[in-house]
Amino acid sequence: MKASLLRITMLGLVATGRVCCAQQAPPAIAVSTASAAPMVTAPLVADDSLAAAVGTSYLDKTIRGFGRAEILGPDGKTHFVWIPVNLMGFSKYLPFHRHEEDLKRFGREPFSIDVDKVQSIKVNGLYQEHMVLNGKRKHLIAKCLVNGPVELFNYTEMPQPLLAPVAGVAGATVMGTAGLSAPGLSGFPDRQWFLRRPGEELVKVGRGDFVAQMTAYFHDDPELLSALNAGQLHYRDMVKIVQGYNEYRTRPAAR
């Protein structure tokens, strides 16, 4: 069933940063029916590596996979709505329900807001932020996995189901593996990592120049540099890398 999706109309600009606001009643939100777009619903749970990094407690206070979120919009105001709770982040559109009772109504489709109109999200202990590189929005919202001297953000694009034609049945398809490691999937999760030091801009972690980039970024940690140059740490190990560096920087003897 294809449903028309509505966007929140939010105007204005707000500087990049975190804003903590007290709980309050949901403000009135203007909604526009123009330029409706198909909703992109994110997975409700993360793959094992991300779940291992933060646990699964963020799923405790959910209704049908949705949690009550505090969203900072570009109008500088905080809005409270219900959104899908996941570790993957959001790209293009963020689905939402205005009220808890809407989640319990059979067949009620969520509204949708362009992620460019979302500055940050707090939901069930998770902090997510719109990624801005060199002053340009990347049109995705990523999860902050690690806090400390260096923050680590992640956005993960999950593989799509792979459909194969059924022999002898015109127009029929079936979900298959096509020789891939994950049944019914068209590939592996595509992770994007982002780093940030206090007072500095976001930095996207590259794949091709990974060792050189990380060696320069974490140049003051000799143990980490040794592991990187020995090929013991890779792109997929960013949580371990940043956690290890932050531990080194917070040691009493660290300089």
Side-chain angles (χ1 to χ4, degrees):
M1 177 180 65
K2 183 176 181 180
S4 176
L5 300 176
L6 307 179
R7 298 182 185 177
I8 298 176
T9 301
M10 293 180 178
L11 301 177
L13 298 174
V14 65
T16 300
R18 301 185 180 186
V19 177
C20 298
C21 301
Q23 295 288 326
Q24 58 186 13
I29 300 178
V31 177
S32 171
T33 59
S35 303
M39 180 184 71
V40 178
T41 303
L44 299 181
V45 294
D47 63 321
D48 291 342
S49 62
L50 296 184
V54 300
T56 58
S57 61
Y58 65 95
L59 294 172
D60 292 344
K61 299 178 181 179
T62 59
I63 299 176
R64 296 183 178 178
F66 283 71
R68 189 170 186 265
E70 176 184 316
I71 296 178
L72 178 65
D75 55 1
K77 296 181 180 180
T78 300
H79 304 272
F80 293 92
V81 294
W82 289 75
I83 68 169
V85 179
N86 71 88
L87 295 181
M88 303 305 190
F90 299 93
S91 175
K92 297 181 180 179
Y93 298 98
L94 172 67
F96 73 94
H97 285 288
R98 289 174 176 163
H99 308 290
E100 179 178 342
E101 53 267 29
D102 294 335
L103 294 165
K104 303 174 182 178
R105 295 178 182 175
F106 179 77
R108 175 62 66 90
E109 294 285 348
F111 297 112
S112 177
I113 180 175
D114 192 319
V115 296
D116 284 355
K117 299 183 184 299
V118 176
Q119 178 66 32
S120 64
I121 302 171
K122 295 178 183 178
V123 56
N124 290 8
L126 301 178
Y127 176 78
Q128 302 178 64
E129 185 177 313
H130 195 113
M131 298 290 94
V132 179
L133 295 176
N134 300 319
K136 296 182 179 180
R137 292 181 175 272
K138 301 304 292 182
H139 315 300
L140 57 86
I141 297 172
K143 165 72 182 73
C144 184
L145 290 175
V146 181
N147 286 295
V150 172
E151 293 176 312
L152 175 66
F153 291 84
N154 174 265
Y155 170 77
T156 298
E157 184 95 17
M158 294 301 290
Q160 298 299 312
L162 181 66
L163 298 178
V166 178
V169 182
T173 59
V174 65
M175 186 174 292
T177 64
L180 298 174
S181 60
L185 300 180
S186 60
F188 297 96
D190 179 18
R191 297 187 182 90
Q192 297 184 46
W193 302 105
F194 302 87
L195 300 170
R196 183 170 64 196
R197 298 178 188 273
E200 297 183 6
E201 297 293 328
L202 279 167
V203 173
K204 185 175 182 179
V205 180
R207 290 180 181 270
D209 60 345
F210 174 76
V211 173
Q213 183 187 22
M214 294 301 94
T215 298
Y217 198 86
F218 299 110
H219 63 89
D220 54 335
D221 184 344
E223 294 179 6
L224 180 56
L225 296 188
S226 177
L228 283 166
N229 291 318
Q232 298 173 348
L233 294 170
H234 307 279
Y235 187 83
R236 63 180 178 271
D237 300 317
M238 283 306 303
V239 172
K240 183 189 300 184
I241 291 172
V242 177
Q243 286 177 338
Y245 178 79
N246 286 347
E247 188 277 331
Y248 166 75
R249 289 301 303 164
T250 54
R251 293 175 192 171
R255 295 193 177 108

